[in-house]
Amino acid sequence: MTALPPLDHIPADILSAADYEQRAADHIAPPTLAWLAGGSGDEHTLRANRSAFHDLRIVPRLLTDFSKACTRVHLLGTPLGHPILLAPLGHQRLLHADGETACARAAAATGCGFVCSTLSSLSLEDIAAATDEPKWFQLYFQPRRNDTLALLRRAEAAGYRAIVVTLDTPVQPLSRRAQRAGFRFPGDTPANLAAFAPPLQVALEPGQSIVLHGMMSEAPHWDDLAWLIEQSRLPIVAKGVSHPDDARRLRDLGVAGQIVSNHGGRALDGSPSTLSRLPVLRAALGQAYPLLVDGGVRSGTDIFKALAWGADAVLVGRLQGYALALVGALGVAHMLKLLRDELELCMAQAGTPTLADITADCLVGDVTC
């Protein structure tokens, strides 16, 4: 089946941010759709990320004064009109010819944040130049420290405001859905890594595991993160946190903020939903420490629940890809506007004029997995 080209207008049947998921399917090649929509293993965690939001209910409140209502938030020196960021999503030219520059422009137009991926189709410099609004750069540790340092220095020089270092995928599990669909990444090296020499092949001894002794030999350790913090002139945000002991150790090491994440269900299959980990991590880190979350967000109501459960902001991944494939930058901006509108409608009915008013007392129910 050949994917339809992107549209140049917003379809009349897009009434919510979540509508982009179904509407965009015809505009994405089936193997690419399997990659974008799928998760690792049997996709238990992928489903848990979504179902967790359904287990919480919001209690309406009456007669609240909204004369001083506000949705603005400052995260590590980055001002946002709403507590929404576009998550780092690589290879965006698989979805639209404009790639990451379209999403950067959409975020800038709607007062939302944008996080550029190490695996972006376009260079981090080209993406940074697309708008004057603040952006963050997501960093994967490279096998050689010099290459990691080169990415860090380029991000600093290009004007990024923070470094989001992804830690939850020391090995990347395969997506069975994408494999069955025949998905393959493009043969070209991602733009940000094109200047680096291929990593040396790991030599295994007889009986050693290709995963445990091969792939994991290149995985970062705590001393690598400490080195990165020492080298960086920008705040470091750790992405992929689930355990409170890790969260406390990251904070004590000097990490400036953390993102509760399971890679959108693409990391360890069977791990708990990100929403379920928010309260325990917030308790471990304290109320003032910057804590964000991604995974399963499809609506402004989901955003409200994440904020009430302990997040300062959310990151949106798959919805970004669907909107990009359907209508390019216009679609992503429209999707973000819908999320903003849905969040504000929820705040209005829940009696929460400001983000500080959105607390666990607004919710009933519980999330255990």
Side-chain angles (χ1 to χ4, degrees):
M1 173 181 159
T2 302
L4 298 174
L7 303 177
D8 60 2
H9 62 280
I10 305 296
D13 57 351
I14 298 289
L15 304 179
S16 70
D19 288 340
Y20 273 99
E21 183 166 1
Q22 181 174 358
R23 190 65 172 78
D26 292 338
H27 297 261
I28 306 174
T32 302
L33 180 62
W35 160 73
L36 178 62
S40 61
D42 293 319
E43 301 186 345
H44 294 297
T45 298
L46 177 69
R47 291 189 293 273
N49 279 347
R50 284 294 304 128
S51 64
F53 286 101
H54 301 311
D55 295 333
L56 293 173
R57 297 291 182 267
I58 302 167
V59 181
R61 297 298 301 271
L62 308 176
L63 304 174
T64 305
D65 179 7
F66 273 77
S67 61
K68 296 182 180 179
C70 180
T71 60
R72 289 190 295 274
V73 61
H74 279 72
L75 296 172
L76 304 176
T78 300
L80 301 175
H82 286 72
I84 305 169
L85 300 91
L86 292 180
L89 176 64
H91 308 284
Q92 289 191 20
R93 276 195 161 171
L94 289 172
L95 303 170
H96 193 281
D98 292 341
E100 291 82 4
T101 58
C103 290
R105 293 196 302 270
T110 53
C112 298
F114 175 82
V115 187
C116 170
S117 171
T118 290
L119 303 180
S120 57
S121 297
L122 303 170
S123 74
L124 65 91
E125 290 86 0
D126 287 344
I127 297 166
T131 76
D132 292 330
E133 294 301 309
K135 305 171 191 68
W136 295 358
F137 179 71
Q138 177 269 332
L139 175 70
Y140 283 115
F141 276 101
Q142 300 302 300
R144 288 180 289 260
R145 275 191 175 183
N146 284 345
D147 294 342
T148 300
L149 185 60
L151 286 172
L152 173 63
R153 295 292 179 248
R154 287 172 58 191
E156 291 171 342
Y160 288 88
R161 296 282 191 91
I163 300 297
V164 178
V165 58
T166 297
L167 300 174
D168 62 332
T169 49
V171 292
Q172 180 67 63
L174 298 174
S175 166
R176 293 174 188 162
R177 191 195 308 199
Q179 285 182 289
R180 293 183 181 116
F183 174 76
R184 297 290 185 273
F185 282 114
D188 296 340
T189 302
N192 293 320
L193 308 180
F196 302 152
L200 297 176
Q201 190 73 27
V202 177
L204 297 177
E205 298 294 332
Q208 285 189 319
S209 163
I210 191 172
V211 174
L212 300 180
H213 305 107
M215 297 177 183
M216 287 302 293
S217 69
E218 297 180 343
H221 302 152
W222 285 98
D223 59 341
D224 294 305
L225 182 59
W227 167 82
L228 183 69
I229 294 170
E230 290 176 358
Q231 295 294 324
S232 180
R233 297 189 287 269
L234 300 173
I236 299 293
V237 179
K239 182 175 183 290
V241 186
S242 290
H243 198 288
D245 289 348
D246 289 337
R248 284 186 286 262
R249 186 171 179 181
L250 288 166
R251 178 199 59 196
D252 295 345
L253 189 65
V255 168
Q258 298 178 34
I259 301 174
V260 186
S261 177
N262 51 41
H263 224 73
R266 290 189 173 100
L268 175 62
D269 191 35
S271 63
S273 69
T274 51
L275 188 66
S276 71
R277 304 309 295 161
L278 267 173
V280 66
L281 292 174
R282 174 54 75 195
L285 294 169
Q287 291 301 312
Y289 188 88
L291 185 64
L292 295 78
V293 68
D294 66 14
V297 174
R298 295 293 187 276
S299 69
T301 301
D302 291 343
I303 296 171
F304 184 97
K305 292 176 181 179
L307 299 178
W309 225 229
D312 293 306
V314 305
L315 296 96
V316 178
R318 286 180 174 88
L319 276 185
Q320 170 188 184
Y322 297 133
L324 176 65
L326 185 59
V327 205
L330 177 62
V332 179
H334 181 244
M335 179 274 295
L336 289 170
K337 181 183 182 302
L338 289 172
L339 285 178
R340 288 172 38 178
D341 292 346
E342 292 164 7
L343 172 61
E344 291 177 359
L345 283 168
C346 189
M347 293 173 66
Q349 295 172 91
T352 54
T354 71
L355 300 183
D357 296 316
I358 304 175
T359 67
D361 292 337
C362 300
L363 304 179
V364 293
D366 196 8
V367 178
T368 57
C369 64

